[in-house]
Every structure is written in structure tokens, then in C-alpha cells.
Amino acid sequence: MRIGLSTSGFYGRFETEEAAEYIAALPVDCAEAFLQTPSEYTREFAAKTRRRFGPVACASVHPMGIQFENSMMSRSRRQRQDAFDLFCRVLDAGKTLGAKTYVYHGRSTSQLSPLPWDLQKNLDVLGPMCELAAQRGMVIGWENVFWCQLTTPGRVREAAAALEAVRFTLDIKQAMRAGCDPIDFVAAMGGRLVNVHICDWREDGGLCLPGEGRFDFGAFFAALAQTGYDGPVIIEPYLRLIHSEEALLESIHLMRALLEKGEKREGGKRA
């Protein structure tokens, strides 16, 4: 497994390419590029950002999906086409960045409104999305997000059974907010898991940098290792959680140590 950091952690402080340059100087193995707006959905912008990442590999690309992902399911043919055009632009940018995963939120609603599960409606969009991604050497990493469609391990299993091409991104804070154990998502996603987002939270549910809260990362990393997962583990904090560079560095080093411990623990069991 590889420890990484998302440019989204600097949203509002740095522009995306500036965040990439900042990450290039940190002790991480990989990164996720959070593309903020359509002017960033270009090969040219992606090439500039790729250069700013320097030696750090870009593992995944994550657009601000609320800008167009809902419209991919619109009743309007023209609206659907425009949304897919934006999606393909993000894929092209992702390929230029070297990313292998497109992080997908999908159909969403406000955080206080329930959204009925409609597997077929999701599949009608995800099928073509997976094909378009595959043409560029990428996969769709459908992310569990409590205010979108993929909210429970049960829904993950249904989606995985219905569409072989779909892959998954696991966000542990989103699992917590949905009232689910993140390790249950690890089991449900299994070999389809391609990307992991980590944050942390305190007893009152308030978010913090990984290692500053109550989540048991040791057990979580051991569970990932047990499934054979060897992909990126992306620290994805909100800007307000990074109260100093020293705190961020401490979090990165702690996560790396716990990850390596979890891998050794499971490797010893298998031996």
C-alpha cells in the first residue's frame, strides 16, 4: 500500500497546480488530483499539474462531481450529452496526469434528504462510464458517500454483482457518517477496491487529521492487507483540519508506520 495526499486538502488555500507543487515536497508516495472546475478539465492543465507533482505519482483524479454527475442521469438528452462531455474531459485529464482511477460520487441530494436506491438507474450510467474509462486505461472508483447513492456495504455488494467493470473508492469518514463500520465496506468491496480515502474523527463526530481522533487505523490497515489490497491510501482532510504543516507531517508519518505494521501483521499470519 502507498500513503498519499489529496490536493483537495488545500482547496481554498492553493489552486490545484499549486497544491500539487506543495505535495511534491512532502513525504508521500502518491497523490489524488482534485479538479475544481471545468477550466481544469483539460489535457493542457493536467500536463502542467503533472509537472508540478514532480516525483509524486498521481494515483487518481477526483472532479467536483456535483457540477455534472447528476446531469448524467437527466431526462434531457442534451443535458446528458453535455455531462458526458465533461466526464470525458476529466478522463482525458486523468490519463494525462497518469491516474488510473476516476473517483465517482454519482447521483446526489442534499445531506439532509434521503435518496432512494435505484440500482438500475445507476447501472445505466455506470456501464458507459466504465467503457469510456477503460478506453483510457482507467477504472471508475465509485465512492461510498452518505449523501449520494452508495451508502451501505449491502449496496456495494449489489452493484458489484450487477456490473463486473465497476470498482470502488472507500471513504472511511463517509462510512462513519452513514452509521457503518468502514471495515464492513472493506469486506464488501473486496478485490474491487482500488482507492481509499482516510480522515479521522473525535468522539463527537468532529473531523480531524488521521491519528488525531479515535479511529483504529491499525485494525483498518490490517483488514486492508488481509484482502490483499495494495493500492493508494489517500489522506483527504478538509483545509480547516490542517492546522499546521508539522501536524500534517506527523499524521503522514504515523499513517505510514501504522500501515507498515498492519501489512507486516497480516504478512506474518499468511506465512
Side-chain angles (χ1 to χ4, degrees):
M1 286 180 274
R2 297 168 289 153
I3 287 292
L5 182 62
S6 173
T7 63
S8 67
F10 306 96
Y11 176 73
R13 176 183 175 190
F14 296 139
E15 298 295 350
T16 303
E17 70 276 22
E18 295 169 341
E21 186 170 359
Y22 186 86
I23 288 173
L26 296 176
V28 295
D29 307 311
C30 60
E32 181 168 285
F34 177 69
L35 301 183
Q36 305 172 14
T37 189
S39 66
E40 297 185 352
Y41 303 164
T42 68
R43 294 185 182 93
E44 293 75 18
F45 179 81
K48 176 172 68 173
T49 303
R50 174 56 267 170
R51 291 192 295 271
R52 297 286 191 96
F53 272 127
V56 175
C58 181
S60 49
V61 62
H62 189 340
M64 189 172 280
I66 57 174
Q67 294 170 342
F68 64 89
E69 288 180 352
N70 263 347
S71 294
M72 298 170 84
M73 298 184 184
S74 172
R75 292 191 298 270
S76 164
R77 179 185 57 79
R78 182 174 297 150
Q79 192 175 5
R80 290 196 306 273
Q81 184 59 58
D82 285 352
F84 265 91
D85 286 347
L86 284 172
F87 166 68
C88 287
R89 285 174 55 186
V90 176
L91 287 180
D92 289 338
K95 180 179 179 181
T96 301
L97 283 161
K100 296 301 181 184
T101 299
Y102 172 104
V103 180
Y104 176 62
H105 279 193
R107 187 174 171 221
S108 62
T109 183
S110 68
Q111 296 186 7
L112 299 178
S113 302
L115 188 63
W117 174 237
D118 188 336
L119 177 59
Q120 189 56 53
K121 193 166 188 177
N122 285 293
L123 295 177
D124 290 344
V125 170
L126 276 163
M129 288 178 70
C130 289
E131 292 176 8
L132 289 164
Q135 292 170 12
R136 295 160 173 85
M138 298 173 66
V139 297
I140 302 300
W142 195 3
E143 184 175 20
N144 64 294
V145 180
F146 86 101
W147 46 273
C148 295
Q149 281 278 273
L150 201 68
T151 56
T152 66
R155 291 185 179 185
V156 169
R157 291 189 178 91
E158 286 186 54
L163 182 61
E164 194 283 330
V166 71
R167 298 294 184 266
F168 299 102
T169 292
L170 169 55
D171 188 311
I172 67 170
K173 71 177 178 299
Q174 296 290 349
M176 178 273 291
R177 286 174 162 175
C180 300
D181 186 337
I183 291 179
D184 290 340
F185 275 99
V186 174
M189 293 175 177
R192 305 282 193 92
L193 180 60
V194 293
N195 194 32
V196 175
H197 288 164
I198 61 172
C199 199
D200 204 347
W201 53 89
R202 300 186 176 90
E203 289 291 340
D204 63 359
L207 298 179
C208 52
L209 286 172
E212 294 182 348
R214 61 186 293 271
F215 185 67
D216 187 347
F217 282 99
F220 178 68
F221 291 148
L224 288 175
Q226 188 174 33
T227 69
Y229 181 72
D230 63 354
V233 176
I234 304 292
I235 298 172
E236 191 194 39
Y238 296 118
L239 177 62
R240 60 183 169 79
L241 306 183
I242 305 175
H243 40 89
S244 69
E245 183 173 300
E246 291 73 21
L248 178 60
L249 288 170
E250 184 176 346
S251 179
I252 292 169
H253 289 307
L254 177 59
M255 290 303 103
R256 187 186 300 280
L258 290 173
L259 187 152
E260 291 173 354
K261 184 178 180 180
E263 289 180 322
K264 288 176 182 177
R265 173 174 145 189
E266 289 307 311
K269 287 182 180 179
R270 288 192 291 270

